Amino acid sequence: MRQTCRRRQYGYHTEKAYVRWAERFVRFHDTAHPRRLNEDDIRAFLGHLASERNVAASTQNQALNALLFLYEQVLGEELGSIGPIDRADEPRRFPTVLSRDEVRRLFGAMSTGPNRLIAHLLYGSGLRLSEALRLRVKELDVGNSRLHVRDGKGGTDRTTVLPERLHGLLRRHLKTVKAQHEADCAEGVGGVYLPDAIVEKHPNAKTEWRWQYVFPSTTLSEDPRSGAVCRHHRSDSAVQRAVKKAAEATRFPSVMASWCWRGTRCRRGTHNTTEGPSGLAPAAQVTLDGPHLPGDRAVEQARLREASGRGEGAPRVPWRYCFCSGRASITCFIDRRTSFIMTGCTLAM
């Protein structure tokens, strides 16, 4: 199963999770070989997870995907209809959204260092924690105030903004990281993990500065796949502990996690006035600070009506609605004379 995951270029965390679920499935059925088990046995295992183990719905779905992968990709057996299973409840929860004052207090409570700089990137650039930790030096474009996210969620790439106030902090941080890298190279452990088959095409690339992680680990470790001793990227638990400690120091009543930085940036907006395209009068603008999250259409439409001035007794004026997803900035203009909607999409620089 490990070989199949690596051949299909699955992530290491996915590989570990799939192997773990396959082992649990076999132990649940008294170590019977999966070829001797069928759809009823899979349904019984998934029902056991929901009713007796009380797992979350996402955990149950992960187990199902792992078993489907085991049978279809590893054993080469086509499964029939599994049928209805006892699904775990998936409660609807409110996201944790911080005010500007709370964000300042949290940043102030975090000690100066890599963890705080990562938190700034999560909030300022809208990165996921794993994306920030896997950043490499060559993916930073400080001159153009942008950074490139390679192999993000779903195996996609994108470009997002790099706040100017982080330029100086990043340059000072990279000087320290480069000095550490040069010391590692002098000791013969200056290599780094490279994706795909880059190490086969370019044997010296693993020690080149541009391929190094922006946030390397403080200790050397052994690559679980190749066995080579190198310096991997920083652990996600270190950042999570730092955020939790800062939240406890500021005595926040709500649960605070590292992903809340990105969620806060996603949901808070600013309002100002801008000029419309050629031939249109000035327009009100609504700009969300980060990725646009669809779903709450009533609030969204209310904002648009407010921005367009189309409430009771308000004059009809054109408006501009803009949101930035980290990949692109999408803008809508409405002409007050014809109510014609025009949209445009530009890459976020």
Side-chain angles (χ1 to χ4, degrees):
M1 191 169 187
R2 294 183 186 275
Q3 294 298 328
T4 307
C5 288
R6 295 174 187 180
R7 186 173 63 251
R8 298 179 65 86
Q9 298 185 352
Y10 280 24
Y12 180 64
H13 290 291
T14 304
E15 175 188 323
K16 288 197 305 181
Y18 279 17
V19 171
R20 184 175 65 249
W21 282 119
E23 292 174 349
R24 291 183 62 176
F25 175 65
V26 170
R27 286 198 302 266
F28 177 77
H29 291 289
D30 298 327
T31 66
H33 195 279
R35 292 188 186 275
R36 297 169 53 189
L37 305 175
N38 54 27
E39 293 83 354
D40 294 335
D41 299 310
I42 295 178
R43 184 166 58 252
F45 175 66
L46 297 176
H48 162 75
L49 293 177
S51 60
E52 298 184 27
R53 303 297 296 179
N54 296 321
V55 301
S58 58
T59 304
Q60 189 186 41
N61 290 333
Q62 185 187 70
L64 175 59
N65 292 333
L67 296 180
L68 292 177
F69 179 83
L70 170 64
Y71 278 92
E72 296 177 359
Q73 303 297 331
V74 181
L75 301 179
E77 295 185 2
E78 290 294 333
L79 290 174
S81 176
I82 298 178
I85 61 176
D86 187 6
R87 288 284 185 179
D89 294 333
E90 188 170 1
R92 182 181 179 89
R93 302 189 184 278
F94 291 106
T96 300
V97 182
L98 307 178
S99 65
R100 294 184 184 275
D101 180 64
E102 289 173 331
V103 171
R104 294 191 187 97
R105 288 164 53 195
L106 270 176
F107 279 135
M110 296 185 69
S111 58
T112 304
N115 291 332
R116 183 177 179 180
L117 185 54
I118 292 173
H120 275 292
L121 283 174
L122 300 185
Y123 178 73
S125 299
L127 299 182
R128 297 177 178 88
L129 178 57
S130 59
E131 294 171 345
L133 294 175
R134 292 199 299 260
L135 273 178
R136 299 181 189 261
V137 175
K138 69 183 185 66
E139 294 163 0
L140 293 177
D141 189 357
V142 179
N144 292 318
S145 296
R146 63 182 180 182
L147 55 86
H148 307 285
V149 179
R150 305 296 185 189
D151 196 20
K153 188 173 182 179
T156 58
D157 299 347
R158 75 176 190 274
T159 299
T160 185
V161 295
L162 179 63
E164 292 184 3
R165 64 175 59 190
L166 299 183
H167 291 186
L169 295 175
L170 280 172
R171 287 192 177 98
R172 290 191 293 270
H173 172 73
L174 289 178
K175 287 182 179 179
T176 304
V177 174
K178 189 173 185 178
Q180 183 184 59
H181 170 62
E182 292 173 349
D184 289 343
C185 290
E187 297 178 3
V189 290
V192 69
Y193 166 77
L194 297 179
D196 303 326
I198 296 179
V199 68
E200 301 295 335
K201 301 175 183 176
H202 309 284
N204 297 326
K206 61 181 181 180
T207 58
E208 293 180 4
W209 165 240
R210 67 193 187 97
W211 282 102
Q212 303 304 307
Y213 289 115
V214 176
F215 301 103
S217 173
T218 56
T219 59
L220 297 173
S221 59
E222 181 178 335
D223 192 311
R225 291 181 171 178
S226 65
V229 176
C230 58
R231 194 177 296 276
H232 203 52
H233 62 65
R234 196 173 188 84
S235 172
D236 54 355
S237 59
V239 183
Q240 292 167 349
R241 285 195 300 266
V243 173
K244 181 180 179 181
K245 184 178 179 181
E248 293 174 349
T250 53
R251 298 180 180 180
F252 278 5
S254 59
V255 178
M256 181 64 192
S258 56
W259 51 263
C260 294
W261 294 115
R262 187 172 188 266
T264 296
R265 184 179 182 272
C266 290
R267 293 171 173 85
R268 195 177 59 237
T270 57
H271 300 262
N272 52 34
T273 301
T274 184
E275 293 289 333
S278 177
L280 293 184
Q285 180 184 19
V286 181
T287 305
L288 298 183
D289 289 342
H292 176 63
L293 299 181
D296 197 349
R297 298 297 182 187
V299 177
E300 192 174 312
Q301 293 174 3
R303 284 183 177 179
L304 297 183
R305 285 195 299 268
E306 178 184 358
S308 63
R310 300 180 73 171
E312 294 185 4
R316 295 184 61 178
V317 296
W319 52 264
R320 174 184 178 185
Y321 176 53
C322 173
F323 62 87
C324 176
S325 67
R327 305 173 189 169
S329 176
I330 301 179
T331 306
C332 298
F333 292 98
I334 288 188
D335 192 329
R336 63 184 173 186
R337 298 181 298 274
T338 63
S339 297
F340 182 73
I341 301 177
M342 294 174 289
T343 62
C345 178
T346 56
L347 289 179
M349 294 301 199

